[in-house]
Amino acid sequence: MRAAIHVAVSLLLMAGLARGEDFSVHIERLADLDNGRPAPQLAFDRDRVRPDTQPDGNMPENRFDVYARFKDFGRVRLGETLEAGPSAGGHWPRGKVFKSGLVDTGGIKSGWVRNAPDLFIIAWTDEPDGRGNEPVFHESMVLLRLADGRAAVLMRASRAMNVRRQDMGYPGLESAFYSFDKAGDLLVERVTRTAELGSDRPGLLLHRERGPDGRDAYSASIHETVLLCYRYADGRLTPCKADLTYRAQAGDDLADIARFYLGPFADARNLLVANRGLFANLKIDADHPSARLSDGQAVDIPVPDERLFRQYSGELAVPADRHGG
């Protein structure tokens, strides 16, 4: 989707700033929950999966699988914890210990999805390994079907909550919100994405500004919303429909938006067809469509559904995973 623009990618630190360095899970921002429904009895186990190792001769490591254990539905694997140390000295101070992954089981949040008869969501924070250079926290979740005495995994997802460096090459920060449409038996995954693009040269959707050194610079703030709908039937989620909406920057050109999302030779008339009501009052030449948009104007982008599911969807479980583990 981004092959049409060759610019350096830097990340907006929106998630980290909004949380004020609070990397705990706020499950009300993740899913529409039925808070009046009693939660199932739930505890957490850690199974050691590897013996001690000494990758640098001074820092032993232990790895653990973390499981959610239900009283009435068995147990299901959530994630992994790595415990390294205590250091014997050398590269790291003697006695130093590092923990990463699903470290704090006390911070795990869960709840029933509203309007869904048997969908249950569990979310937690995956912490970075302090020995690395990129201290990125992730909000991870698993969507379960609790029925017939079994916890079956339907979907997994993990998204970055912060980024400390701006040259990591990530395409942007994402968050998701899950809800259930009872009338259509649909799980709706609403993904929002924000990315900052910058270059010293003009490019699609880049706007000129004066840099701190007095030279021209070019930047863009990309804001997108993606709606992914999954049919829920027979205990399975099946992708069925997806939509992408771009929120325009002031002065964005309709033709540039088309080329940015649909390829360098895309015709802006494709956007006219997808946004008939929005552009009905704009004076646009049908043979050479072009229009400058106002800030925040929503533009529906006719991207194929399978492309959006491939890029934005959480990971749907394979049949074996739906039986837990």
Side-chain angles (χ1 to χ4, degrees):
M1 183 177 288
R2 300 293 175 253
I5 185 168
H6 302 285
V7 298
V9 178
S10 63
L11 285 185
L12 191 70
L13 305 183
M14 174 177 289
L17 293 174
R19 295 176 183 269
E21 300 299 303
D22 171 17
F23 300 122
S24 59
V25 171
H26 296 267
I27 197 166
E28 70 278 1
R29 303 176 191 172
L30 182 63
D32 181 22
L33 300 180
D34 185 352
N35 294 317
R37 185 175 179 182
Q41 292 189 31
L42 177 62
F44 303 101
D45 301 327
R46 296 202 324 166
D47 289 2
R48 183 177 166 190
V49 295
R50 298 185 187 179
D52 292 346
T53 60
Q54 292 183 310
D56 61 5
N58 295 291
M59 182 68 74
E61 291 184 353
N62 281 296
R63 292 183 184 272
F64 302 85
D65 279 338
V66 181
Y67 288 83
R69 175 168 43 85
F70 294 90
K71 178 183 177 182
D72 298 319
F73 303 100
R75 71 174 194 164
V76 63
R77 183 181 182 275
L78 301 181
E80 182 182 84
T81 301
L82 170 65
E83 294 184 356
S87 172
H91 185 69
W92 303 105
R94 181 176 295 273
K96 185 70 175 178
V97 174
F98 295 93
K99 296 182 179 181
S100 60
L102 205 175
V103 174
D104 179 20
T105 57
I108 296 175
K109 306 296 181 183
S110 62
W112 292 103
V113 178
R114 190 189 308 274
N115 296 323
D118 50 19
L119 296 184
F120 191 80
I121 191 168
I122 303 177
W124 64 92
T125 300
D126 277 317
E127 301 183 18
D129 191 330
R131 297 172 294 176
N133 295 320
E134 310 299 346
V136 180
F137 290 74
H138 287 79
E139 183 177 69
S140 299
M141 77 88 187
V142 60
L143 181 69
L144 305 172
R145 177 179 184 252
L146 301 185
D148 303 323
R150 185 174 60 195
V153 176
L154 301 183
M155 180 188 292
R156 296 180 182 271
S158 182
R159 292 181 167 89
M161 300 168 73
N162 75 307
V163 175
R164 297 298 180 87
R165 289 176 53 188
Q166 297 188 6
D167 60 350
M168 296 174 63
Y170 289 133
L173 289 175
E174 295 179 3
S175 62
F177 185 82
Y178 299 88
S179 59
F180 192 79
D181 177 2
K182 184 177 181 180
D185 287 330
L186 296 175
L187 177 74
V188 180
E189 181 180 16
R190 178 186 175 93
V191 179
T192 57
R193 176 179 177 274
T194 303
E196 294 294 303
L197 307 181
S199 178
D200 57 359
R201 300 179 181 181
L204 294 175
L205 299 188
L206 296 178
H207 295 259
R208 187 174 68 178
E209 57 186 21
R210 186 70 64 181
D213 58 358
R215 298 180 181 180
D216 284 342
Y218 301 86
S219 66
S221 294
I222 307 299
H223 298 273
E224 300 167 343
T225 300
V226 182
L227 291 180
L228 305 171
C229 296
Y230 307 83
R231 184 76 60 190
Y232 183 48
D234 299 323
R236 303 185 63 174
L237 291 175
T238 304
C240 62
K241 181 175 175 53
D243 295 297
L244 167 64
T245 300
Y246 167 70
R247 195 176 78 201
Q249 307 162 96
D252 275 351
D253 185 78
L254 189 64
D256 286 348
I257 296 174
R259 290 194 290 268
F260 183 83
Y261 280 101
L262 305 177
F265 304 107
D267 193 327
R269 282 173 290 192
N270 291 331
L271 296 185
L272 293 181
V273 172
N275 297 270
R276 294 182 186 277
L278 181 62
F279 299 119
N281 297 323
L282 296 180
K283 296 180 180 179
I284 298 177
D285 185 338
D287 294 324
H288 305 284
S290 180
R292 296 289 176 181
L293 305 183
S294 58
D295 187 54
Q297 195 163 5
V299 183
D300 293 331
I301 310 296
V303 179
D305 289 357
E306 59 271 19
R307 181 174 165 187
L308 294 177
F309 278 108
R310 185 171 61 250
Q311 181 169 353
Y312 292 98
S313 174
E315 180 183 357
L316 292 179
V318 297
D321 200 17
R322 290 207 313 276
H323 295 289

